[in-house]
Amino acid sequence: MASRHQTPSPLLPDSGDTPCNNEEQLSPVPIHVVTSACQLPAEFLEPSPENQLVIGFDCEGVDLCRHGTLCIMQLAFPDAIYLVDAIEGGEMLVKACKPALESSYITKVIHDCKRDSEALYFQFGIKLHNVVDTQIAYSLIKEQEGQKRVPDDYISFVGLLADPEYCGISYGEKEEVRTLLRQDPNFWKYRPLSELMIRAAADDVRFLLFVYHKMVEKLNQRSLWYLAVRGVLYCRCFCINDNNYADWATLPPVPDDLIVNENTPEQEVLSVLDVPPGKMGRVIGRRGVNILSVKESCNAEIFFGGDKGPPDKVFIIGPAKQVRKAEAMLRGRMLEMY
């Protein structure tokens, strides 16, 4: 398919630390608006161990979650960006991407995968797998450097791109699109796609491969294992099912060379706690004081379905002992209500 659009994308980083807004590192790549599976690369549609890929990945939609509408999937390859139009192409087009999105041969680089995974699972039956979540990777790198992360201190995508260690660019257009979304939540549903929509969708993935390579250079083997495990757990996070994820990809085992006496990393788990209907506010506490005390006491991540759902549930991810500790503290909070 002939492309009508182009965007400057960064070349893969060399051994230097030059930010990717350096003009010499930007190369124009075509943007393809995809409405039929035949417009996608064959090596993407038919994953194989001989053609392993790393792509940037994101989704846009209206109230993106299990109940919302997935409108566009963005795929960033080194030589092109593909905007998979789920509105025009429909369910058949999205499901043609299912083998790739579930494949261990295709690494999907994404920033905060939880809601994207939820939308894909409940709307299309796709179990997103083999993701490198740059939000998780950023936290792991900071931990490697000896920094203790403050609870809920998650790097935003805009903040990540602005960091000169990874990209060093200002992403003002993101706020422009957020303003438009507040004015009209159906922004991503309109067709034909406007130049602004195409540019904004491409911008959300065009730097991801550059950032990925920068991050992989910094991560040690232990952190890379944590990154893989947490990627699996974050993809599962809001995707509650009745078989305890038996049909999802299994967690990566601890590599043999990380099994060293008492320093062997503990396997991480995902736990889902039910909260009595209408009592979530009491669990969280005024201005979040209750949940903050739990987070400060446990080395675990705690998430809530919130307005998008699933309601009345708390999701805990982390080392098994820390997750059990968080569970006990939260159950204690719930008992105090009676």
Side-chain angles (χ1 to χ4, degrees):
M1 179 188 70
S3 174
R4 297 179 293 105
H5 311 276
Q6 283 191 329
T7 187
S9 270
L11 304 174
L12 296 186
D14 55 24
S15 57
D17 291 323
T18 310
C20 68
N21 62 351
N22 184 300
E23 290 187 6
E24 294 179 357
Q25 286 189 289
L26 294 175
S27 175
V29 298
I31 304 172
H32 301 287
V33 178
V34 174
T35 56
S36 173
C38 66
Q39 297 166 333
L40 289 167
E43 63 268 27
F44 173 78
L45 292 172
E46 301 173 3
S48 72
E50 293 76 32
N51 289 308
Q52 299 196 33
L53 304 173
V54 180
I55 64 170
F57 180 74
D58 192 27
C59 297
E60 308 293 350
V62 176
D63 195 23
L64 195 64
C65 64
R66 65 186 59 203
H67 303 300
T69 303
L70 189 150
C71 300
I72 300 173
M73 289 193 304
Q74 302 104 292
L75 314 173
F77 290 72
D79 58 352
I81 292 174
Y82 297 84
L83 305 183
V84 179
D85 189 342
I87 300 296
E88 291 289 325
E91 184 175 2
M92 183 178 295
L93 172 59
V94 178
K95 286 196 171 180
C97 301
K98 178 181 170 77
L101 298 181
E102 295 185 346
S103 174
S104 58
Y105 303 132
I106 300 180
T107 300
K108 281 70 68 173
V109 184
I110 184 173
H111 191 83
D112 192 4
C113 63
K114 296 188 294 297
R115 289 299 182 189
D116 301 66
S117 179
E118 181 187 18
L120 288 167
Y121 181 61
F122 285 102
Q123 295 179 39
F124 301 99
I126 294 171
K127 298 180 282 288
L128 186 61
H129 176 56
N130 193 22
V131 306
V132 168
D133 192 315
T134 52
Q135 192 173 67
I136 302 170
Y138 185 88
S139 294
L140 287 168
I141 291 168
K142 291 301 180 186
E143 288 176 18
Q144 273 186 199
E145 295 171 349
Q147 297 187 32
K148 185 177 180 180
R149 193 172 70 78
V150 177
D152 296 333
D153 182 25
Y154 306 107
I155 187 76
S156 69
F157 187 53
V158 173
L160 177 64
L161 293 188
D163 191 325
E165 287 194 50
Y166 301 104
C167 222
I169 67 160
S170 174
Y171 191 8
E173 287 183 355
K174 187 72 172 177
E175 187 53 43
E176 178 186 357
V177 172
R178 284 175 178 159
T179 300
L180 291 171
L181 282 168
R182 285 192 291 269
Q183 295 170 352
D184 185 355
N186 290 312
F187 173 79
W188 288 111
K189 272 188 175 180
Y190 298 123
R191 296 297 180 273
L193 292 169
S194 68
E195 291 292 330
L196 172 61
M197 295 167 80
I198 290 170
R199 187 178 73 246
D203 280 351
D204 274 356
V205 293
R206 68 185 175 116
F207 296 105
L208 282 173
L209 293 182
F210 185 93
V211 171
Y212 164 80
H213 286 281
K214 286 284 189 181
M215 287 182 154
V216 168
E217 289 175 1
K218 295 176 181 288
L219 290 162
N220 60 32
Q221 187 179 12
R222 191 182 186 93
S223 293
L224 285 169
W225 176 77
Y226 276 123
L227 180 61
V229 171
R230 291 178 192 175
V232 173
L233 295 176
Y234 276 55
C235 281
R236 294 179 181 184
C237 186
F238 296 138
C239 300
I240 301 172
N241 62 21
D242 295 328
N243 62 7
N244 197 28
Y245 306 102
D247 55 343
W248 285 65
T250 57
L251 292 175
V254 179
D256 290 341
D257 46 3
L258 290 184
I259 301 175
V260 184
N261 300 324
E262 297 179 1
N263 200 31
T264 300
E266 186 179 3
Q267 186 64 270
E268 303 218 330
V269 298
L270 164 65
S271 174
V272 183
L273 276 186
D274 291 315
V275 176
K279 300 295 185 181
M280 186 65 79
R282 296 280 296 277
V283 171
I284 295 171
R286 188 183 296 273
R287 297 183 179 178
V289 65
N290 290 348
I291 203 67
L292 183 60
S293 69
V294 176
K295 290 180 178 181
E296 288 175 341
S297 301
C298 307
N299 182 25
E301 305 286 352
I302 302 176
F303 303 104
F304 306 92
D307 294 338
K308 293 184 177 182
D312 303 321
K313 293 187 185 297
V314 180
F315 304 87
I316 312 169
I317 294 174
K321 289 180 182 177
Q322 296 296 315
V323 169
R324 303 305 170 225
K325 181 180 177 182
E327 286 177 342
M329 293 181 71
L330 288 167
R331 287 195 176 103
R333 299 287 185 196
M334 287 185 239
L335 287 174
E336 290 172 6
M337 299 175 189
Y338 300 101

